Amino acid sequence: MSIRVDLHTHSTASDGVFSPPDLVREALRNGLDVIALTDHDSFVGSDQARTLMSGVTVIPGVELSIRDMSGLHLLGYGTALGGELRRTVEDLSFRRKNRARLMLEKLAELGMPLDADRLITSCQGSLGRPHIARAMVEAGYVLSNEEAFRLYIGNDGPAYVGGERLTMEQALHLMRISGFVPVLAHPAELKLPLKDLRVLVEKWRSLGLMGMEVYHPSARKYGMDSLDRMAREMHLLVTGGSDFHTPGDHHGELGAMLKHWRSCQEDYDALLDAMG
């Protein structure tokens, strides 16, 4: 029987709703053997989850937002959490909290005050817009996270503040010198024609990209077979994950991509080899 793997999940250390221990328990309940905890700009969740004796293997990971274009994210997988990558991630997490304070000031000016200190201290790791959206729902200012983004904190919203991000070249170099395997996250979310995506991926491969997240809920845009074929023709690692945040949202449920990912065992073994 093939191993059951989900290489893209989030906890309360970034914008998920399950604490790292609860996420691991939920993975076990869903019959998973391996998860990668890939919180945004944070290793806090990975540090907690990988120490648990649960029957689920936890691969340390991270997801970085890249400033080259909208929707561009880079996943990183490694066996050691240290070096320059950790220091940079900690700095990015600190900057996220400062950004959040500025957004909360704007919301207060719009008549929607929130307790900034409570929100920031309640976040274990990296504070993002989903945390603010949930706080807005709890305060009764909006009916849903989606409404918060659409009306106030989305990229064109009156309370939006841009964040500081690495370039793809910087992020790839940082991951490679820190012993991490860099993988392009959810390429379909770049909303590019397949031929244009291929040109970009070839450029990033020359800069150190080692893999592509083929099996992701958004990949139906291209057809997973097309992305799988592209990745293998370019000699990239193939990975897959649900991008799980909370049950029932627009991301996938834990393990959701396994029914599509027929080569999961072989691809997971190849990732482990690359991680050393």
Side-chain angles (χ1 to χ4, degrees):
M1 182 176 178
S2 181
I3 196 167
R4 294 177 58 80
V5 177
D6 192 324
L7 295 174
H8 191 164
T9 70
H10 295 274
S11 75
T12 50
S14 64
D15 53 351
V17 297
F18 287 147
S19 68
D22 285 344
L23 179 66
V24 171
R25 282 190 283 271
E26 190 70 8
L28 185 62
R29 192 179 70 80
N30 281 271
L32 294 177
D33 302 301
V34 180
I35 64 168
L37 217 172
T38 50
D39 281 316
H40 297 281
D41 300 336
S42 178
F43 283 123
V44 172
S46 276
D47 288 348
Q48 291 183 21
R50 68 194 184 99
T51 64
L52 301 172
M53 303 297 290
S54 65
V56 175
T57 298
V58 178
I59 293 179
V62 69
E63 184 173 11
L64 301 180
S65 298
I66 306 300
R67 74 172 185 231
D68 297 40
M69 64 181 65
S70 177
L72 181 56
H73 291 179
L74 189 67
L75 293 163
Y77 304 102
T79 56
L81 296 180
E84 193 61 30
L85 178 60
R86 176 178 283 270
R87 287 190 288 273
T88 300
V89 163
E90 289 172 348
D91 181 61
L92 288 170
S93 181
F94 175 77
R95 292 171 186 267
R96 271 179 174 261
K97 291 180 179 178
N98 287 339
R99 175 202 187 197
R101 285 191 182 276
L102 294 174
M103 294 181 73
L104 293 173
E105 288 175 7
K106 289 193 171 191
L107 286 171
E109 291 170 1
L110 293 168
M112 291 174 284
L114 295 167
D115 188 335
D117 290 334
R118 177 176 173 272
L119 184 60
I120 290 172
T121 56
S122 68
C123 179
Q124 298 178 22
S126 185
L127 181 61
R129 283 184 288 173
H131 296 95
I132 297 175
R134 289 180 199 134
M136 292 174 72
V137 173
E138 290 173 5
Y141 298 139
V142 292
L143 296 177
S144 66
N145 289 4
E146 291 73 21
E147 184 177 329
F149 273 85
R150 179 168 51 84
L151 297 180
Y152 300 108
I153 61 174
N155 289 5
D156 298 318
Y160 175 73
V161 175
E164 294 194 38
R165 302 177 177 185
L166 301 174
T167 66
M168 182 62 107
E169 185 172 3
Q170 289 171 331
L172 287 169
H173 175 70
L174 184 61
M175 286 193 183
R176 293 296 296 264
I177 65 171
S178 302
F180 270 62
V181 175
V183 173
L184 176 63
H186 42 63
E189 293 191 2
L190 298 178
K191 301 177 182 177
L192 295 170
L194 197 60
K195 61 181 178 59
D196 294 341
L197 175 65
R198 187 180 187 110
V199 171
L200 276 176
V201 171
E202 185 61 56
K203 173 187 173 183
W204 295 329
R205 190 174 71 92
S206 71
L207 295 173
L209 183 69
M210 297 176 68
M212 182 190 296
E213 187 181 39
V214 169
Y215 296 96
H216 181 273
S218 66
R220 297 179 184 88
K221 169 182 169 62
Y222 294 122
M224 295 175 198
D225 289 345
S226 297
L227 287 175
D228 187 289
R229 185 163 51 251
M230 177 196 296
R232 296 184 198 280
E233 287 174 356
M234 299 175 77
H235 304 290
L236 291 170
L237 297 165
V238 170
T239 72
S242 62
D243 204 353
F244 176 78
H245 287 69
T246 182
D249 74 353
H250 66 282
H251 300 97
E253 302 293 333
L254 282 169
M257 305 316 297
L258 287 169
K259 60 186 176 184
H260 306 286
W261 192 6
R262 295 183 296 274
S263 56
C264 175
Q265 179 75 64
E266 296 82 357
D267 295 334
Y268 173 63
D269 289 344
L271 175 63
L272 289 183
D273 286 344
M275 287 166 56

